[in-house]
Amino acid sequence: MSADKSLQDQIIQKAWEDAEFKKKLLADPKAAVKEAFGTEIPDSLEVEVLEETDSKKYFILPQSPKSVTSSDNLGFPAWY
């Protein structure tokens, strides 16, 4: 398992187990991740956290590999 995937899994697990973290993650993901895991998300990267429910699902369409440049990564994990 990659380090990026491991961090994503840790964030999800913590959100499931810690209601206050989940609340902060939904409201301010960058601050929540930095506070809980010490990982700073660059200001140039926008992060939105959405919570699925029984009646609402999300389909994430990743950026096309053809349009990705090395500068698009910004040193932050791509979680898809």
Side-chain angles (χ1 to χ4, degrees):
M1 180 180 294
S2 74
D4 296 345
K5 183 64 173 165
S6 178
L7 178 59
Q8 180 183 6
D9 291 344
Q10 290 176 52
I11 292 168
I12 292 168
Q13 189 69 40
K14 185 165 181 64
W16 287 343
E17 297 171 351
D18 182 339
E20 284 303 310
F21 172 74
K22 177 181 169 181
K23 183 178 176 182
K24 188 165 189 173
L25 184 65
L26 288 164
D28 189 352
K30 290 182 181 187
V33 170
K34 182 177 181 182
E35 183 180 301
F37 299 96
T39 300
E40 191 159 339
I41 300 171
D43 289 338
S44 59
L45 186 62
E46 182 180 338
V47 178
E48 184 176 356
V49 176
L50 305 171
E51 182 178 17
E52 290 189 339
T53 67
D54 288 339
S55 61
K56 191 170 199 173
K57 303 296 179 196
Y58 296 93
F59 180 85
I60 306 300
L61 182 60
Q63 184 176 7
S64 169
K66 291 180 183 178
S67 63
V68 176
T69 65
S70 61
S71 64
D72 289 340
N73 188 325
L74 302 172
F76 193 73
W79 290 332
Y80 41 78

Coordinates of all heavy atoms in Angstrom, one line a residue:
M1 N 0.8 -1.2 0.0 CA 0.0 0.0 0.0 C 0.9 1.2 0.0 O 1.8 1.3 0.7 CB -0.9 0.0 1.2 CG -1.8 1.2 1.4 SD -2.9 1.2 2.8 CE -3.9 -0.2 2.5
S2 N 0.6 2.2 -0.8 CA 1.4 3.4 -0.9 C 1.2 4.3 0.3 O 0.2 4.2 1.0 CB 1.0 4.2 -2.2 OG -0.2 4.8 -2.0
A3 N 2.1 5.2 0.6 CA 2.0 6.1 1.7 C 0.8 7.0 1.5 O 0.1 7.3 2.5 CB 3.3 6.9 1.9
D4 N 0.5 7.4 0.3 CA -0.6 8.3 0.0 C -1.9 7.6 0.4 O -2.8 8.2 1.0 CB -0.6 8.7 -1.4 CG 0.6 9.6 -1.8 OD1 1.3 10.1 -1.0 OD2 0.8 9.7 -3.1
K5 N -2.0 6.4 0.0 CA -3.2 5.6 0.3 C -3.4 5.4 1.8 O -4.5 5.5 2.3 CB -3.2 4.3 -0.5 CG -4.4 3.4 -0.3 CD -5.7 4.1 -0.9 CE -6.8 3.1 -0.9 NZ -8.1 3.8 -1.1
S6 N -2.3 5.1 2.4 CA -2.3 4.9 3.8 C -2.8 6.2 4.6 O -3.6 6.1 5.5 CB -0.9 4.6 4.4 OG -0.9 4.4 5.7
L7 N -2.4 7.4 4.2 CA -2.9 8.6 4.8 C -4.4 8.8 4.5 O -5.1 9.1 5.4 CB -2.1 9.8 4.3 CG -2.6 11.2 4.9 CD1 -2.5 11.2 6.4 CD2 -1.8 12.3 4.2
Q8 N -4.8 8.5 3.3 CA -6.2 8.6 3.0 C -7.0 7.6 3.9 O -8.0 8.0 4.4 CB -6.5 8.3 1.5 CG -7.9 8.4 1.2 CD -8.2 8.0 -0.3 OE1 -7.3 7.5 -1.0 NE2 -9.4 8.2 -0.7
D9 N -6.5 6.4 4.0 CA -7.2 5.4 4.9 C -7.3 5.9 6.3 O -8.3 5.7 7.0 CB -6.6 4.1 4.8 CG -6.7 3.4 3.4 OD1 -7.6 3.8 2.7 OD2 -6.0 2.5 3.1
Q10 N -6.2 6.5 6.8 CA -6.1 7.0 8.2 C -7.1 8.1 8.4 O -7.8 8.2 9.4 CB -4.7 7.5 8.5 CG -3.7 6.3 8.6 CD -2.3 6.9 8.9 OE1 -2.1 7.7 9.8 NE2 -1.4 6.5 8.0
I11 N -7.2 9.0 7.4 CA -8.2 10.1 7.5 C -9.6 9.6 7.6 O -10.4 10.0 8.4 CB -8.0 11.1 6.4 CG1 -6.7 11.8 6.5 CG2 -9.1 12.1 6.3 CD1 -6.2 12.6 5.2
I12 N -9.9 8.6 6.7 CA -11.3 8.1 6.7 C -11.6 7.4 8.0 O -12.6 7.5 8.6 CB -11.4 7.1 5.5 CG1 -11.4 7.9 4.2 CG2 -12.7 6.3 5.6 CD1 -11.2 7.0 3.0
Q13 N -10.6 6.5 8.5 CA -10.8 5.8 9.7 C -11.1 6.8 10.9 O -12.0 6.6 11.7 CB -9.6 4.9 10.0 CG -9.8 4.0 11.2 CD -10.8 2.9 10.9 OE1 -10.9 2.4 9.8 NE2 -11.7 2.6 11.8
K14 N -10.2 7.8 11.0 CA -10.4 8.8 12.1 C -11.7 9.5 12.0 O -12.4 9.7 13.0 CB -9.2 9.8 12.0 CG -9.3 10.8 13.2 CD -8.0 11.5 13.3 CE -8.0 12.5 14.5 NZ -8.1 11.8 15.8
A15 N -12.2 9.8 10.8 CA -13.5 10.5 10.6 C -14.6 9.6 11.1 O -15.6 10.0 11.6 CB -13.7 10.9 9.2
W16 N -14.5 8.3 10.8 CA -15.5 7.3 11.3 C -15.5 7.2 12.8 O -16.6 6.9 13.4 CB -15.3 5.9 10.7 CG -15.6 5.8 9.2 CD1 -16.3 6.7 8.4 CD2 -15.1 4.8 8.3 NE1 -16.4 6.2 7.1 CE2 -15.7 5.1 7.0 CE3 -14.4 3.7 8.5 CZ2 -15.4 4.3 5.9 CZ3 -14.1 2.8 7.4 CH2 -14.7 3.1 6.1
E17 N -14.4 7.3 13.4 CA -14.3 7.1 14.8 C -14.4 8.3 15.7 O -14.6 8.2 16.9 CB -13.0 6.4 15.1 CG -12.9 5.0 14.5 CD -11.5 4.4 14.6 OE1 -10.5 5.0 15.0 OE2 -11.4 3.2 14.3
D18 N -14.1 9.5 15.1 CA -14.0 10.7 15.9 C -14.9 11.8 15.3 O -14.6 12.4 14.3 CB -12.5 11.2 15.9 CG -12.3 12.5 16.7 OD1 -13.2 13.2 17.0 OD2 -11.1 12.7 17.0
A19 N -16.1 12.0 16.0 CA -17.1 12.9 15.5 C -16.6 14.3 15.3 O -17.0 15.1 14.4 CB -18.3 12.9 16.4
E20 N -15.8 14.8 16.3 CA -15.3 16.2 16.2 C -14.3 16.3 15.0 O -14.3 17.4 14.3 CB -14.6 16.5 17.5 CG -15.5 16.8 18.6 CD -16.5 18.0 18.3 OE1 -16.1 19.0 17.8 OE2 -17.7 17.7 18.5
F21 N -13.4 15.3 14.8 CA -12.6 15.4 13.6 C -13.4 15.4 12.3 O -13.1 16.2 11.4 CB -11.6 14.2 13.6 CG -10.8 14.1 12.4 CD1 -9.7 15.0 12.1 CD2 -11.0 13.1 11.4 CE1 -9.0 14.9 10.9 CE2 -10.3 13.1 10.2 CZ -9.3 14.0 10.0
K22 N -14.4 14.6 12.3 CA -15.2 14.5 11.1 C -15.9 15.9 10.8 O -15.9 16.3 9.7 CB -16.3 13.4 11.2 CG -17.3 13.3 10.1 CD -18.3 12.2 10.4 CE -19.4 12.2 9.4 NZ -20.4 11.2 9.7
K23 N -16.4 16.5 11.8 CA -17.0 17.8 11.7 C -16.1 18.8 11.2 O -16.4 19.6 10.3 CB -17.6 18.2 13.1 CG -18.3 19.5 13.1 CD -18.8 19.8 14.5 CE -19.5 21.1 14.6 NZ -20.0 21.5 15.9
K24 N -14.8 18.8 11.7 CA -13.8 19.8 11.3 C -13.4 19.4 9.8 O -13.1 20.3 9.0 CB -12.6 19.8 12.2 CG -11.6 20.9 11.9 CD -10.7 21.1 13.0 CE -9.8 22.4 12.7 NZ -9.0 22.8 13.8
L25 N -13.2 18.1 9.5 CA -12.8 17.7 8.2 C -13.8 18.2 7.2 O -13.4 18.7 6.1 CB -12.7 16.2 8.2 CG -12.2 15.6 6.9 CD1 -10.7 16.0 6.6 CD2 -12.3 14.0 6.9
L26 N -15.1 18.1 7.4 CA -16.1 18.6 6.5 C -16.1 20.1 6.4 O -16.3 20.6 5.3 CB -17.5 18.1 7.0 CG -17.7 16.6 6.8 CD1 -18.9 16.1 7.6 CD2 -17.9 16.2 5.3
A27 N -15.8 20.8 7.5 CA -15.8 22.3 7.5 C -14.5 22.9 7.0 O -14.6 23.9 6.2 CB -16.1 22.8 8.9
D28 N -13.4 22.3 7.3 CA -12.1 22.9 7.0 C -11.1 21.7 6.9 O -10.3 21.5 7.8 CB -11.7 23.8 8.1 CG -10.4 24.6 7.8 OD1 -9.8 24.3 6.7 OD2 -10.1 25.5 8.6
P29 N -11.1 21.0 5.7 CA -10.3 19.8 5.6 C -8.8 20.1 5.7 O -8.1 19.3 6.3 CB -10.6 19.3 4.2 CG -11.5 20.3 3.5 CD -11.9 21.3 4.5
K30 N -8.3 21.2 5.2 CA -6.8 21.5 5.3 C -6.4 21.6 6.8 O -5.4 21.0 7.2 CB -6.5 22.8 4.6 CG -6.6 22.6 3.1 CD -6.1 23.9 2.4 CE -6.2 23.8 0.9 NZ -5.7 25.0 0.2
A31 N -7.2 22.3 7.6 CA -6.8 22.5 9.0 C -7.0 21.2 9.8 O -6.1 20.8 10.6 CB -7.7 23.5 9.6
A32 N -8.0 20.4 9.4 CA -8.2 19.1 10.1 C -7.1 18.1 9.9 O -6.6 17.5 10.8 CB -9.6 18.5 9.7
V33 N -6.6 18.0 8.6 CA -5.6 17.1 8.2 C -4.3 17.6 8.9 O -3.5 16.8 9.4 CB -5.5 17.0 6.7 CG1 -4.2 16.2 6.3 CG2 -6.7 16.3 6.2
K34 N -4.0 18.9 8.8 CA -2.8 19.4 9.4 C -2.7 19.1 10.9 O -1.7 18.7 11.5 CB -2.6 20.9 9.2 CG -1.3 21.4 9.7 CD -1.2 22.9 9.4 CE 0.2 23.4 9.9 NZ 0.3 24.8 9.7
E35 N -3.8 19.4 11.6 CA -3.9 19.2 13.1 C -3.8 17.7 13.5 O -3.1 17.4 14.4 CB -5.2 19.8 13.6 CG -5.4 19.7 15.0 CD -6.8 20.3 15.5 OE1 -7.0 21.5 15.2 OE2 -7.6 19.6 16.1
A36 N -4.5 16.9 12.7 CA -4.5 15.5 13.1 C -3.3 14.7 12.6 O -2.9 13.7 13.3 CB -5.8 14.8 12.6
F37 N -2.8 15.0 11.5 CA -1.7 14.2 10.9 C -0.4 14.9 10.6 O 0.6 14.3 10.1 CB -2.2 13.5 9.6 CG -3.4 12.7 9.8 CD1 -4.7 13.1 9.7 CD2 -3.3 11.3 10.2 CE1 -5.8 12.3 9.9 CE2 -4.3 10.5 10.5 CZ -5.6 11.0 10.3
G38 N -0.4 16.2 10.8 CA 0.8 17.0 10.6 C 1.2 17.2 9.1 O 2.3 17.5 8.7
T39 N 0.2 17.0 8.2 CA 0.4 17.1 6.8 C -0.3 18.4 6.3 O -1.5 18.6 6.5 CB -0.3 15.9 6.0 OG1 0.3 14.7 6.4 CG2 -0.1 16.1 4.5
E40 N 0.6 19.3 5.8 CA 0.1 20.6 5.3 C -0.3 20.5 3.9 O 0.5 20.1 3.1 CB 1.1 21.7 5.6 CG 0.6 23.0 5.4 CD 1.4 24.1 6.1 OE1 2.1 23.8 7.0 OE2 1.3 25.3 5.7
I41 N -1.5 20.9 3.5 CA -1.9 21.0 2.2 C -1.7 22.3 1.6 O -2.0 23.3 2.2 CB -3.4 20.6 2.1 CG1 -3.7 19.2 2.7 CG2 -3.9 20.7 0.7 CD1 -5.2 18.9 2.9
P42 N -1.0 22.4 0.5 CA -0.6 23.7 -0.1 C -1.9 24.6 -0.4 O -2.9 24.1 -0.7 CB 0.0 23.4 -1.5 CG 0.4 21.9 -1.4 CD -0.6 21.3 -0.4
D43 N -1.7 25.9 -0.2 CA -2.7 26.9 -0.4 C -3.2 26.8 -1.9 O -4.4 27.1 -2.2 CB -2.3 28.3 -0.1 CG -2.1 28.5 1.4 OD1 -2.7 27.8 2.2 OD2 -1.4 29.5 1.7
S44 N -2.4 26.4 -2.8 CA -2.7 26.4 -4.2 C -3.6 25.2 -4.5 O -4.1 25.1 -5.7 CB -1.5 26.3 -5.1 OG -0.7 25.2 -4.7
L45 N -3.9 24.3 -3.6 CA -4.7 23.1 -3.8 C -6.0 23.3 -3.1 O -6.0 23.5 -1.8 CB -4.0 21.9 -3.3 CG -4.6 20.5 -3.6 CD1 -4.8 20.3 -5.2 CD2 -3.8 19.4 -3.0
E46 N -7.1 23.2 -3.8 CA -8.4 23.3 -3.2 C -8.9 21.8 -2.8 O -8.8 20.9 -3.6 CB -9.4 23.9 -4.1 CG -10.8 24.0 -3.6 CD -11.8 24.6 -4.6 OE1 -11.3 25.3 -5.5 OE2 -13.0 24.4 -4.4
V47 N -9.4 21.7 -1.6 CA -9.8 20.4 -1.1 C -11.2 20.5 -0.6 O -11.6 21.4 0.2 CB -8.9 19.8 0.0 CG1 -9.4 18.5 0.5 CG2 -7.5 19.7 -0.4
E48 N -12.1 19.6 -1.1 CA -13.5 19.6 -0.6 C -13.8 18.1 -0.1 O -13.5 17.2 -0.8 CB -14.4 19.9 -1.8 CG -15.9 20.0 -1.4 CD -16.8 20.5 -2.5 OE1 -16.3 20.8 -3.6 OE2 -18.0 20.5 -2.3
V49 N -14.3 18.0 1.0 CA -14.7 16.7 1.6 C -16.2 16.6 1.5 O -17.0 17.5 2.0 CB -14.2 16.6 3.0 CG1 -14.7 15.2 3.6 CG2 -12.7 16.7 3.1
L50 N -16.7 15.5 0.9 CA -18.1 15.2 0.8 C -18.4 13.9 1.5 O -17.6 13.0 1.4 CB -18.5 15.1 -0.7 CG -18.2 16.3 -1.5 CD1 -18.4 16.0 -3.0 CD2 -19.0 17.6 -1.1
E51 N -19.5 13.8 2.2 CA -19.9 12.6 2.9 C -21.0 11.9 2.1 O -22.1 12.5 1.9 CB -20.3 12.9 4.3 CG -20.7 11.7 5.1 CD -21.0 11.9 6.5 OE1 -21.3 13.1 6.9 OE2 -21.0 11.0 7.3
E52 N -20.8 10.7 1.7 CA -21.9 9.9 1.1 C -22.9 9.5 2.1 O -22.6 9.3 3.3 CB -21.3 8.7 0.4 CG -20.5 9.0 -0.8 CD -20.1 7.7 -1.6 OE1 -20.1 6.6 -1.1 OE2 -19.8 7.9 -2.8
T53 N -24.1 9.3 1.7 CA -25.2 8.8 2.5 C -25.9 7.6 1.8 O -25.5 7.3 0.7 CB -26.3 9.8 2.8 OG1 -26.9 10.2 1.6 CG2 -25.6 11.1 3.4
D54 N -26.8 7.0 2.4 CA -27.6 5.9 1.7 C -28.2 6.4 0.4 O -28.3 5.6 -0.5 CB -28.6 5.3 2.7 CG -28.1 4.5 3.8 OD1 -26.9 4.0 3.7 OD2 -28.8 4.3 4.8
S55 N -28.6 7.6 0.4 CA -29.3 8.1 -0.8 C -28.5 9.1 -1.7 O -29.0 9.6 -2.6 CB -30.6 8.8 -0.3 OG -30.3 9.9 0.5
K56 N -27.3 9.3 -1.3 CA -26.4 10.2 -2.1 C -25.0 9.6 -2.3 O -24.3 9.4 -1.3 CB -26.3 11.6 -1.4 CG -25.7 12.6 -2.3 CD -25.9 14.0 -1.6 CE -25.7 15.1 -2.6 NZ -26.1 16.4 -2.1
K57 N -24.7 9.4 -3.5 CA -23.3 8.8 -3.8 C -22.6 9.8 -4.8 O -23.2 10.6 -5.5 CB -23.5 7.5 -4.5 CG -24.2 6.4 -3.7 CD -23.5 6.1 -2.5 CE -24.3 5.1 -1.7 NZ -23.9 5.0 -0.3
Y58 N -21.3 9.7 -4.8 CA -20.5 10.6 -5.6 C -19.6 9.8 -6.5 O -19.1 8.8 -6.1 CB -19.6 11.5 -4.7 CG -20.3 12.4 -3.8 CD1 -20.7 12.1 -2.5 CD2 -20.8 13.7 -4.3 CE1 -21.4 12.9 -1.8 CE2 -21.5 14.5 -3.5 CZ -21.8 14.2 -2.3 OH -22.6 15.0 -1.5
F59 N -19.5 10.3 -7.7 CA -18.6 9.7 -8.7 C -17.5 10.7 -9.0 O -17.8 11.8 -9.4 CB -19.4 9.3 -10.0 CG -18.5 8.7 -11.1 CD1 -18.3 7.4 -11.1 CD2 -17.9 9.5 -12.1 CE1 -17.5 6.8 -12.1 CE2 -17.1 8.9 -13.0 CZ -16.9 7.6 -13.0
I60 N -16.3 10.3 -8.7 CA -15.1 11.2 -8.9 C -14.5 10.9 -10.3 O -14.1 9.8 -10.5 CB -14.1 11.0 -7.8 CG1 -14.7 11.2 -6.4 CG2 -12.9 12.0 -8.0 CD1 -15.4 12.5 -6.1
L61 N -14.5 12.0 -11.1 CA -13.9 11.8 -12.4 C -12.5 12.5 -12.3 O -12.3 13.7 -12.3 CB -14.7 12.6 -13.5 CG -14.2 12.5 -14.9 CD1 -14.2 11.0 -15.4 CD2 -15.1 13.3 -15.8
P62 N -11.4 11.6 -12.3 CA -10.1 12.2 -12.2 C -9.7 13.0 -13.4 O -10.2 12.8 -14.5 CB -9.2 10.9 -12.1 CG -10.1 9.8 -11.8 CD -11.4 10.2 -12.3
Q63 N -8.7 13.8 -13.3 CA -8.1 14.6 -14.4 C -7.5 13.6 -15.4 O -6.9 12.6 -15.0 CB -7.1 15.5 -13.8 CG -6.5 16.5 -14.8 CD -5.5 17.4 -14.2 OE1 -5.1 17.3 -13.0 NE2 -5.0 18.4 -14.9
S64 N -7.7 13.9 -16.6 CA -7.1 13.1 -17.7 C -5.6 13.0 -17.6 O -5.0 14.1 -17.4 CB -7.5 13.6 -19.1 OG -6.8 13.0 -20.1
P65 N -5.0 11.9 -17.7 CA -3.5 11.8 -17.6 C -2.9 12.6 -18.7 O -1.7 13.1 -18.5 CB -3.3 10.3 -17.8 CG -4.5 9.6 -17.4 CD -5.6 10.6 -17.8
K66 N -3.5 12.8 -19.8 CA -3.0 13.6 -20.9 C -2.8 15.1 -20.5 O -1.9 15.7 -21.1 CB -3.9 13.5 -22.1 CG -3.9 12.2 -22.8 CD -4.8 12.2 -24.0 CE -4.8 10.8 -24.6 NZ -5.8 10.8 -25.8
S67 N -3.6 15.5 -19.6 CA -3.5 16.9 -19.2 C -2.8 17.2 -17.9 O -2.6 18.3 -17.5 CB -5.0 17.5 -19.1 OG -5.6 16.9 -18.0
V68 N -2.2 16.1 -17.3 CA -1.5 16.3 -16.1 C 0.0 16.6 -16.4 O 0.6 15.9 -17.2 CB -1.6 15.0 -15.2 CG1 -0.7 15.1 -14.0 CG2 -3.0 14.7 -14.8
T69 N 0.5 17.6 -15.7 CA 1.9 17.9 -15.8 C 2.6 17.6 -14.5 O 1.9 17.5 -13.5 CB 2.2 19.4 -16.2 OG1 1.7 20.2 -15.2 CG2 1.5 19.7 -17.5
S70 N 3.9 17.6 -14.4 CA 4.5 17.3 -13.2 C 4.3 18.4 -12.1 O 4.3 18.1 -10.9 CB 6.0 17.2 -13.4 OG 6.6 18.4 -13.9
S71 N 4.0 19.6 -12.6 CA 3.7 20.7 -11.6 C 2.3 20.6 -11.0 O 2.0 21.2 -10.0 CB 3.9 22.1 -12.3 OG 2.9 22.2 -13.3
D72 N 1.4 19.8 -11.6 CA 0.1 19.6 -11.1 C 0.0 18.9 -9.8 O -0.9 19.0 -9.0 CB -0.8 18.9 -12.1 CG -1.2 19.7 -13.4 OD1 -1.0 21.0 -13.3 OD2 -1.5 19.1 -14.4
N73 N 1.0 18.0 -9.6 CA 1.0 17.2 -8.3 C 1.2 18.1 -7.1 O 0.6 17.8 -6.1 CB 2.2 16.2 -8.4 CG 2.1 15.2 -7.3 OD1 1.8 15.5 -6.2 ND2 2.5 14.0 -7.6
L74 N 2.0 19.1 -7.2 CA 2.2 20.1 -6.1 C 2.7 19.4 -4.8 O 2.6 19.9 -3.7 CB 0.9 20.8 -5.7 CG 0.2 21.6 -6.8 CD1 -1.1 22.1 -6.4 CD2 1.1 22.8 -7.3
G75 N 3.2 18.2 -4.9 CA 3.8 17.5 -3.8 C 2.8 17.0 -2.8 O 3.1 16.5 -1.7
F76 N 1.5 17.0 -3.2 CA 0.5 16.4 -2.4 C -0.1 15.2 -3.0 O -0.2 15.1 -4.2 CB -0.6 17.5 -2.1 CG -1.6 17.1 -1.0 CD1 -1.2 17.2 0.3 CD2 -2.8 16.7 -1.3 CE1 -2.0 16.9 1.3 CE2 -3.7 16.3 -0.3 CZ -3.3 16.4 1.0
P77 N -0.5 14.2 -2.2 CA -1.0 12.9 -2.8 C -2.2 13.1 -3.7 O -3.1 13.9 -3.4 CB -1.4 12.1 -1.6 CG -1.1 12.9 -0.4 CD -0.5 14.2 -0.8
A78 N -2.3 12.4 -4.8 CA -3.5 12.3 -5.6 C -4.2 11.1 -5.2 O -3.7 10.0 -5.3 CB -3.1 12.2 -7.1
W79 N -5.4 11.3 -4.6 CA -6.1 10.1 -4.0 C -7.2 9.7 -4.9 O -8.4 9.9 -4.7 CB -6.7 10.6 -2.7 CG -5.7 10.8 -1.6 CD1 -4.5 10.2 -1.5 CD2 -5.8 11.7 -0.5 NE1 -3.8 10.7 -0.4 CE2 -4.6 11.6 0.2 CE3 -6.7 12.6 -0.1 CZ2 -4.3 12.3 1.3 CZ3 -6.5 13.3 1.1 CH2 -5.3 13.2 1.8
Y80 N -6.9 9.0 -6.0 CA -7.9 8.3 -6.8 C -7.3 7.1 -7.5 O -6.2 6.8 -7.4 CB -8.5 9.2 -7.8 CG -7.6 10.2 -8.5 CD1 -6.8 9.8 -9.5 CD2 -7.6 11.5 -8.1 CE1 -6.0 10.7 -10.2 CE2 -6.8 12.4 -8.8 CZ -6.0 12.0 -9.8 OH -5.2 12.9 -10.5

